[in-house]
Amino acid sequence: ADVQELLNAPHTFIQNAASFLYYDLHAWSASREPIHMVLLNNREFVKTPSPSQEIRIQLSYFDGFKRNLQSKLMVEPGKAIEIQNGQVTEVTASTRWVVTGRVLYNNKNRPVKQYEPFYSASWSYEAEVALSNWGESGHFFYDALGRIIRVEAPDGTFGKTVYTPWRQLQYDAADTIKDSLYFTVNSSLPGNNPVRLALDATVAFHD
């Protein structure tokens, strides 16, 4: 069996079981795709399996360090994105998957960026940077002990954590607003601009 067979007739594999797992550990050597796993979960229990029974279908792709590269969950039909002629295009998909955004790791095996999820029309692993880097990403910074000390948001604001021997101080985006790129970019806007008005109100909370 392969993934396509499972997707075409999941009820014949899961039958009356609560769940069914399928692993393809030879995907890289066979087709240069990451190793992956398919998980079928029965949403209802029936005496006789049938194509109408509700089954939850999820795929997960892994790298050589067993880290999750991408996960996909089948959802209702609707708008999705795909690559057409090298461009990201929105399409209407009869079979649609919600896909986790790409995670970038540093040399200490810690995540430093996590991109937003997106909807896809394909169950296959999608390595295109335009898709896997879809949306915005926060940026995580660590100290020498592997603790998160700063999180930068896409809009230029940031939060930080200060560690001392006896306590831990946490500052959110309002606490650090005057030190942020967001403040630098927007502080020169006209005084009646909605963004500037919100910024001026936030400055009062700077710590």
Side-chain angles (χ1 to χ4, degrees):
D2 58 21
V3 175
Q4 192 60 63
E5 289 183 58
L6 264 71
L7 300 182
N8 289 342
H11 60 283
T12 62
F13 291 89
I14 195 168
Q15 299 184 26
N16 293 323
S19 61
F20 175 87
L21 276 170
Y22 167 84
Y23 293 93
D24 189 348
L25 302 179
H26 304 288
W28 181 254
S29 59
S31 59
R32 284 299 184 260
E33 282 211 341
I35 59 174
H36 48 271
M37 173 190 77
V38 182
L39 173 62
L40 307 179
N41 280 321
N42 238 331
R43 302 296 295 271
E44 56 183 347
F45 296 94
V46 294
K47 184 175 183 180
T48 304
S50 72
S52 63
Q53 69 189 91
E54 188 178 353
I55 298 173
R56 184 177 185 268
I57 304 176
Q58 181 176 351
L59 289 95
S60 297
Y61 295 87
F62 304 92
D63 66 11
F65 294 99
K66 300 180 182 179
R67 301 177 303 199
N68 187 285
L69 287 174
Q70 196 172 83
S71 291
K72 298 193 170 194
L73 177 66
M74 184 183 286
V75 294
E76 70 284 350
K79 298 292 185 181
I81 59 174
E82 65 180 17
I83 296 291
Q84 291 183 358
N85 300 320
Q87 301 294 323
V88 177
T89 306
E90 187 176 70
V91 298
T92 299
S94 58
T95 301
R96 188 169 67 149
W97 304 82
V98 60
V99 188
T100 56
R102 184 184 182 198
V103 179
L104 299 181
Y105 298 89
N106 63 14
N107 60 350
K108 303 295 184 183
N109 201 27
R110 300 187 184 279
V112 293
K113 283 191 175 185
Q114 169 72 66
Y115 289 89
E116 295 176 337
F118 62 93
Y119 288 109
S120 171
S122 171
W123 62 263
S124 299
Y125 177 71
E126 293 172 291
E128 293 92 346
V129 173
L131 288 179
S132 58
N133 288 10
W134 177 259
E136 303 288 351
S137 167
H139 200 164
F140 305 94
F141 296 84
Y142 300 84
D143 65 10
L145 298 179
R147 301 173 299 191
I148 294 179
I149 57 174
R150 182 180 174 115
V151 179
E152 293 184 352
D155 64 359
T157 59
F158 71 93
K160 67 178 182 178
T161 303
V162 177
Y163 298 92
T164 73
W166 301 105
R167 60 179 180 168
Q168 176 179 317
L169 305 175
Q170 293 186 321
Y171 299 84
D172 62 19
D175 297 325
T176 62
I177 189 65
K178 285 187 177 181
D179 304 320
S180 68
L181 177 62
Y182 183 87
F183 180 84
T184 303
V185 170
N186 295 299
S187 58
S188 59
L189 292 172
N192 61 349
N193 183 284
V195 174
R196 174 64 186 277
L197 291 173
L199 179 61
D200 291 342
T202 306
V203 165
F205 298 95
H206 179 80
D207 187 357

